[in-house]
Amino acid sequence: QKWRPFCLRFEGVVEDFNYGTLLRLDSRREYSEENTIFATRIQFFAIEIARNREGWNDEVYSRGREPPAPQGKS
């Protein structure tokens, strides 16, 4: 009920605003059964934008920018 008025403000503004998507509960961890919930697309956008502004995704971003570790020969 709390999210509904917020979400409806984006009807016709954000394509597929009410489609479902997966959202990580803890942004420092990977997607897993324990760390994932189902949310609407606009909820995902709102939460991820807030996380980015507050720096919560910096660790994940940094990990993605690191060069891959050298692989041993098999």
Side-chain angles (χ1 to χ4, degrees), residues 2-73:
K2 291 181 182 184
W3 276 98
R4 188 167 179 75
F6 173 82
C7 294
L8 290 176
R9 291 182 13 209
F10 295 93
E11 188 172 12
V13 177
V14 175
E15 185 177 343
D16 302 330
F17 77 103
N18 62 345
Y19 277 33
T21 189
L22 297 177
L23 175 68
R24 291 172 298 143
L25 295 171
D26 182 345
S27 62
R28 296 166 296 177
R29 295 177 34 217
E30 299 292 329
Y31 283 95
S32 68
E33 188 174 339
E34 299 81 26
N35 193 41
T36 305
I37 62 170
F38 194 72
T40 64
R41 180 174 287 180
I42 200 65
Q43 287 173 304
F44 173 85
F45 288 156
I47 291 167
E48 287 299 320
I49 288 169
R51 285 176 175 172
N52 286 330
R53 288 180 178 170
E54 294 178 4
W56 289 102
N57 286 334
D58 291 352
E59 182 180 332
V60 173
Y61 177 77
S62 295
R63 269 190 274 147
R65 306 246 328 140
E66 292 174 2
Q71 300 269 334
K73 292 189 179 192

